[in-house]
Amino acid sequence: LASPLSSAKVLQTAAKMAVLAKFPATASQFVKDNNTDVVNLVLGWAVFWIYGFRTLFFCGYTSTQTLSQYYCDEMFTALSACAPGDAISDSCTAAIESTPKFAQKYTVDLYKTCFGDEYQGSLSPYGNFCSGQNGTGEFIVTLLLMILVTVVFFWKMAKFIHCPDKLERKRRKEVMLKDFLLSQNSTK
């Protein structure tokens, strides 16, 4: 035979489950209740696409000590605008070398590497590695940040929906009680 105490606990547990069952534990509710997590997700992705991907796009990801393909293509575009066709005259080359963008200190020798067989390195026009194993780490760090933020966000969402912890259950009860009391006040 069941004791009166154990049957009271069963009823109390059933009442708790009924209250929790009414709470909408959905992805949209998670987003509404956890704005800071959404901001972290958006900022983590923005940092990667603004900084990490940009670095990879401009410089590639190699350890070759020549100018990156992006900057060589930029110079070739300037050369082709000067001399249409395949014939690049000495006057055109001189005009490009006198352009401050291509003739800054340390950049003249780097732009000459564009005419070699292998010009797809990871150097910026200033001679520093902007990516690759010798680079700043901007791509890898921002990629790991984006992955971490995404995993944490969806982990919290799954936990919110499927297995809320004690603090979350307490918060849900308080929300449900508040909604109940507000509905009682509006009917009076």
Side-chain angles (χ1 to χ4, degrees):
L1 293 167
S3 70
L5 185 59
S6 65
S7 61
K9 283 191 173 202
V10 169
L11 290 174
Q12 188 179 19
T13 305
K16 284 181 184 178
M17 296 303 286
V19 168
L20 292 177
K22 293 179 186 175
F23 188 83
T26 61
S28 62
Q29 187 64 39
F30 175 78
V31 170
K32 289 177 189 174
D33 290 346
N34 297 290
N35 293 329
T36 54
D37 291 324
V38 174
V39 169
N40 283 341
L41 181 71
V42 169
L43 289 178
W45 278 72
V47 165
F48 171 74
W49 289 107
I50 291 170
Y51 293 106
F53 182 76
R54 173 190 56 92
T55 301
L56 185 69
F57 178 76
F58 286 146
C59 299
Y61 198 83
T62 70
S63 59
T64 307
Q65 294 188 7
T66 57
L67 203 59
S68 73
Q69 183 176 359
Y70 175 83
Y71 293 112
C72 285
D73 290 345
E74 190 178 65
M75 186 199 63
F76 289 140
T77 303
L79 279 173
S80 66
C82 177
D86 291 337
I88 298 173
S89 65
D90 290 336
S91 63
C92 187
T93 306
I96 292 297
E97 288 177 353
S98 66
T99 304
K101 181 177 186 177
F102 300 114
Q104 293 178 8
K105 191 176 183 180
Y106 306 117
T107 62
V108 175
D109 292 334
L110 283 173
Y111 277 107
K112 287 180 183 175
T113 64
C114 292
F115 296 103
D117 291 335
E118 186 178 322
Y119 66 88
Q120 297 178 9
S122 283
L123 294 180
S124 74
Y126 302 108
N128 58 340
F129 276 102
C130 39
S131 67
Q133 65 187 19
N134 300 321
T136 60
E138 192 172 328
F139 172 73
I140 294 294
V141 169
T142 57
L143 177 66
L144 291 175
L145 174 71
M146 181 184 71
I147 291 170
L148 176 71
V149 166
T150 304
V151 167
V152 166
F153 179 81
F154 286 108
W155 176 266
K156 283 183 169 185
M157 182 184 288
K159 185 178 152 199
F160 177 85
I161 294 170
H162 298 293
C163 53
D165 59 2
K166 190 174 185 178
L167 186 62
E168 177 61 25
R169 289 190 305 263
K170 180 181 175 195
R171 188 191 70 78
R172 289 180 185 184
K173 286 179 195 175
E174 290 171 358
V175 167
M176 296 300 289
L177 180 62
K178 182 184 93 175
D179 291 344
F180 174 74
L181 292 175
L182 288 175
S183 69
Q184 292 298 317
N185 286 338
S186 64
T187 59
K188 289 182 182 180

